[in-house]
């Protein structure tokens, strides 16, 4: 079965409440109640409940940008899977490079968060990707192979359908320097072939691998036409409804 394309918007630390509601409404209206493409938006934590309201009746799913691995307790500032689910989230992004590199998240932390999320039945968008220095030193494949392996170690057969990988080269995020479709395809194929040798063809072929890093309406078509690019995780261009909807359209909606 061909993999369904998936486009997710990562709003990061942007939008006021009014902007978030307007953006969510415009995307919900543009996508409608059914779509050939899976679509999700990931607003900041304080806006999740309000955005969930405006998405009602549409096929746009809600996601969070991060989660803590513990279920509750003395973890000041953190948010649990239970809270996210109650706020209406189906998805959660785990291991975004901004969390790994700016906030110092380790592979172990990413592993624990990912496992907590799938154990709670949430869908996870696991971000992996190399920095510019790592690419220049020919370490790129080693880096994202390590990130994929460590995050996904111990995933059970029932949990695999909850996993989405986003390949996001750090040098392409927010820089306007999109990876070429060929660079993205090579990385995605590498990840898929490693998953295949570790977990078998069925799991590797079913798993969506998104590309992220300066995806725009102009670059989306070329990227999404690659056989192993199953959609995009979009930052900057997800903050403008018309641009985000054009990217969803490029994915085949
Ligand atoms: P960008 O961000 O599209 O602004 O490069 C992508 C991401 O960080 O997920």
């Amino acid at each position: 079965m061909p993999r369904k394309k998936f486009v997710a918007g990562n709003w990061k630390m942007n939008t006021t409440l009014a902007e978030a509601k307007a953006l969510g409404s415009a995307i919900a209206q543009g996508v409608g109640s059914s779509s050939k493409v899976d679509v999700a938006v990931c607003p900041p934590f304080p806006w999740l409940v309000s955005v969930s309201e405006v998405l009602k009746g549409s096929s746009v799913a809600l996601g969070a940008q991060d989660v803590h691995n513990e279920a509750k307790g003395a973890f000041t500032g953190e948010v649990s899977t239970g809270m996210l689910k109650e706020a209406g989230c189906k998805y959660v992004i785990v291991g975004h490079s901004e969390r790994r590199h700016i906030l110092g998240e380790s592979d172990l932390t990413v592993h624990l968060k990912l496992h907590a999320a799938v154990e709670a039945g949430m869908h996870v968008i696991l971000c992996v990707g190399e920095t510019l220095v790592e690419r220049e030193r020919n370490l790129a494949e080693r880096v994202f192979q390590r990130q994929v392996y460590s995050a996904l170690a111990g995933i059970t057969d029932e949990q695999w359908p909850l996993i989405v990988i986003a390949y996001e080269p750090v040098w392409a995020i927010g820089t306007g320097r999109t990876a070429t479709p060929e660079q993205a395809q090579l990385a995605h194929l590498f990840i898929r072939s490693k998953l295949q040798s570790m977990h078998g063809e069925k799991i590797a072929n079913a798993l969506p691998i998104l590309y992220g890093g300066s995806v725009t309406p102009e670059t989306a078509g070329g990227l999404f036409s690659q056989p192993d690019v199953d959609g995009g995780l979009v930052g900057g261009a997800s903050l403008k409804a018309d641009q985000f909807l054009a990217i969803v359209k490029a994915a085949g909606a």
Side-chain angles (χ1 to χ4, degrees):
M1 223 175 65
R3 291 179 297 273
K4 197 173 177 187
K5 290 269 197 288
F6 177 33
V7 177
N10 173 10
W11 296 359
K12 307 192 181 182
M13 199 170 72
N14 293 299
T15 67
T16 62
L17 176 56
E19 286 164 354
K21 281 161 70 174
L23 182 56
S25 302
I27 291 169
Q29 267 193 3
V31 173
S33 58
S34 75
S35 169
K36 286 192 224 133
V37 176
D38 286 328
V39 181
V41 293
C42 305
F45 286 141
W47 311 155
L48 285 171
V49 172
S50 305
V51 174
S52 126
E53 291 295 321
V54 304
L55 297 182
K56 282 208 175 107
S58 81
S59 61
V60 180
L62 189 69
Q65 300 172 18
D66 187 32
V67 69
H68 190 63
N69 58 288
E70 295 291 343
K72 64 175 186 170
F75 301 98
T76 301
E78 295 295 331
V79 170
S80 71
T81 54
M83 293 169 184
L84 294 183
K85 281 169 60 177
E86 213 175 321
C89 292
K90 173 177 178 183
Y91 292 93
V92 60
I93 298 172
V94 166
H96 191 278
S97 65
E98 284 147 21
R99 299 209 59 87
R100 292 180 191 263
H101 297 293
I102 304 172
L103 296 153
E105 254 180 38
S106 67
D107 283 337
L108 176 61
T109 305
V110 175
H111 170 97
L112 293 172
K113 290 182 171 191
L114 180 136
H115 280 259
V118 294
E119 272 153 32
M122 296 190 78
H123 291 247
V124 170
I125 303 172
L126 166 67
C127 299
V128 300
E130 80 285 1
T131 61
L132 185 59
V133 174
E134 287 160 346
R135 173 160 284 256
E136 285 170 351
R137 292 182 173 255
N138 283 326
L139 293 169
E141 290 181 343
R142 216 173 294 187
V143 168
F144 46 78
Q145 178 173 344
R146 189 200 73 226
Q147 292 171 334
V148 167
Y149 278 7
S150 65
L152 296 175
I155 290 295
T156 64
D157 286 349
E158 303 73 56
Q159 291 170 340
W160 278 108
L162 298 174
I163 307 291
V164 175
I165 292 176
Y167 168 63
E168 300 206 302
V170 180
W171 48 270
I173 295 178
T175 57
R177 215 185 129 186
T178 322
T180 64
E182 294 71 26
Q183 281 172 325
Q185 169 59 22
L186 270 178
H188 287 218
L189 185 61
F190 177 84
I191 292 170
R192 203 180 300 287
S193 63
K194 291 293 164 195
L195 287 170
Q196 182 172 333
S197 51
M198 287 281 287
H199 304 291
E201 198 171 339
K202 199 162 150 238
I203 285 169
N205 283 345
L207 196 139
I209 306 179
L210 314 182
Y211 167 80
S214 299
V215 177
T216 62
E218 292 72 36
T219 57
L223 288 160
F224 298 168
S225 67
Q226 298 297 314
D228 287 286
V229 178
D230 304 314
L233 180 57
V234 187
S238 74
L239 294 170
K240 301 231 162 65
D242 57 340
Q243 290 196 19
F244 186 68
L245 290 168
I247 293 170
V248 172
K249 198 160 172 225

